[in-house]
């Protein structure tokens, strides 16, 4: 029963109904590891994914000269290796316990079989992940709208300088530009739209024309806010 | 063929293989709406979800006195209503086109049947969503680590004042506190850990003891960074 309660509180399984949680609990195993144990190694077949219940787990890669590069340190409640295991890949890095730890292990084969038998379980997980993703996108927008318009303005002025004029072409994709500026494509689109509506620039596909250079300069310097 | 290409470029379907994309394309319909058309109304049965290909769609609720409250404006590439439809709920709001728009419609029943027949499709979608979620969580951490430690310090000083002493109890859950401070639970945990390691506070479950009040005050005022 305790296991069921733990599973019900994991965000990844937030969308599941009680009967679905009970079915899931049947394939989950509860495992304990001492501190300093390697749970899986990079390149091992991804036989299942994990949820950390207690303790701490370090995810790392090994460089050519044998140095560890820590990618992430997970705490209680966080799943790990699930993205690789869902897509059927091998483990992309090492996982070592940094403290005595308790994990739930969900074997891939049994999980795939469960979804085949019960597609609503997958639907509910997709629903919960989508909802969380929207919430996260909203937070990134709220956090990055303060600084990204200024960074974008600076970037546009730079491109205009490089390409010598008020009209120039964006030479990278929107996803890549969003990542350079520290935001996501959805928010970048909204900023471009605001810059157009505010008559700072005109946008036509990848072509940009600067309409109000001084306005862009004020945005870039932080004197003016969008 | 064109439809296949469009579907392949939608982040929600990023993890799918070519044969899976082809199977998905069989159940998708390509729809055009004039500007100002209601695609679905709040409370309608959630028969399927949408992906906006071109144009603009407004998601809104209607208040008791008939006023529109816009929740979100979607641009090309963004899915809408998928979280509700995945979990089998009715549409939670209205969707109106704000420009002539082109959408892909994915009917729920056919989609569930597809997953039942082909669980790997759901696994790959779960994998892509999980990966995106991790990326977003990393961005929120990067964006919020600058300001959240200061806000948390201010909040702890406030609680200490209210409860009259250096020792007090956090009276709300971590998820709720994270949301108040503008971050996510994962990042909040990391900040708590840093505050403990830096000997600003001691944490034991929900009990907090302030060790270095002046340090917290410097964090809260922005004089000191974590």
């Amino acid at each position: 029963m305790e296991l069921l309660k733990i599973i019900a509180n994991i965000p990844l399984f937030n969308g599941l109904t009680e009967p679905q949680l009970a079915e899931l609990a049947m394939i989950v195993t509860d495992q304990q590891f001492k501190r300093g144990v390697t749970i899986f190694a990079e390149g091992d077949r991804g036989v299942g994914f994990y949820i950390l219940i207690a303790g701490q787990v370090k995810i790392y890669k090994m460089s050519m000269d044998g140095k560890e590069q820590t990618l992430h340190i997970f705490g209680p409640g966080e799943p790990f290796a699930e993205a690789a295991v869902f897509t059927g890949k091998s483990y992309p890095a090492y996982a070592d316990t940094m403290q005595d730890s308790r994990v739930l292990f969900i074997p891939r084969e049994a999980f795939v079989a469960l979804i085949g038998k019960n597609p609503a379980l997958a639907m509910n997980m997709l629903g919960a992940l989508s909802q969380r993703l929207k919430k996260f996108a909203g937070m990134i927008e709220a956090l990055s709208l303060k600084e990204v318009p200024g960074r974008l303005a600076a970037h546009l002025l730079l491109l205009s300088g490089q390409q010598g004029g008020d009209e120039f072409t964006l030479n990278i994709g929107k996803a890549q530009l969003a990542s350079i500026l520290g935001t996501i494509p959805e928010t970048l689109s909204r900023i471009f739209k605001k810059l157009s509506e505010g008559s700072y620039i005109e946008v036509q596909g990848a072509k940009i024309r600067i309409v109000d250079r001084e306005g862009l300069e004020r945005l870039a310097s932080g004197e003016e806010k969008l």
Side-chain angles (χ1 to χ4, degrees), chain A:
Chain A
M1 269 311 95
E2 200 217 352
L3 186 63
L4 245 179
K5 242 194 204 161
I6 292 173
I7 296 176
N9 279 318
I10 295 164
L12 186 61
F13 302 130
N14 256 352
L16 302 191
T17 61
E18 293 240 343
Q20 288 170 347
L21 288 169
E23 285 216 69
L24 186 62
M26 306 258 288
I27 65 165
V28 165
T29 58
D30 199 334
Q31 303 180 350
Q32 311 265 356
F33 291 95
K34 287 271 165 212
R35 175 194 173 130
V37 172
T38 298
I39 300 179
F40 54 76
E42 181 174 355
D44 282 358
R45 201 159 67 88
V47 289
F49 65 99
Y50 295 84
I51 292 156
L52 186 59
I53 299 303
Q56 201 168 40
V57 167
K58 174 177 64 176
I59 306 292
Y60 63 98
K61 293 213 175 223
M62 207 69 99
S63 69
M64 299 291 271
D65 54 352
K67 266 193 209 142
E68 272 185 35
Q69 300 172 288
T70 301
L71 301 179
H72 208 84
I73 291 173
F74 285 112
E78 294 185 89
F80 57 98
E82 82 289 8
V85 169
F86 285 153
T87 45
K89 293 185 186 139
S90 55
Y91 295 115
Y94 292 81
D96 280 15
T97 52
M98 296 177 73
Q99 300 169 7
D100 291 356
S101 296
R102 182 178 168 200
V103 301
L104 298 183
F105 175 70
I106 297 108
R108 180 181 152 84
E109 270 185 37
F111 187 72
V112 172
L114 192 59
I115 285 182
K117 208 180 65 181
N118 190 352
L121 189 144
M123 294 292 280
N124 286 0
M125 283 183 67
L126 287 171
L129 286 178
S130 302
Q131 213 149 24
R132 212 161 176 234
L133 208 47
K134 288 210 172 178
K135 196 178 137 199
F136 279 21
M139 291 182 67
I140 292 173
E141 177 150 333
L143 287 162
S144 65
L145 266 184
K146 274 181 288 178
E147 298 181 0
V148 175
R151 277 185 234 150
L152 176 59
H155 189 79
L156 295 178
L157 291 168
L158 174 80
L159 285 178
S160 146
Q162 283 173 348
Q163 299 187 30
D166 280 347
E167 285 187 46
F168 56 89
T169 309
L170 275 181
N171 41 14
I172 53 173
K174 222 194 252 172
Q176 210 185 335
L177 181 58
S179 145
I180 289 172
L181 300 173
T183 191
I184 53 178
E186 292 86 337
T187 298
L188 185 62
S189 294
R190 255 183 277 284
I191 298 173
F192 263 115
K193 193 150 179 291
K194 280 192 181 181
L195 286 179
S196 300
E197 286 170 355
S199 298
Y200 294 95
I201 56 173
E202 279 171 18
V203 184
Q204 198 142 41
K207 285 205 192 318
I208 310 278
R209 196 170 76 79
I210 292 181
V211 179
D212 176 5
R213 180 173 291 271
E214 285 174 13
L216 278 185
E217 285 167 354
R218 285 193 301 272
L219 282 177
S221 70
E223 268 173 80
E224 191 168 309
K225 295 283 168 198
L226 201 59

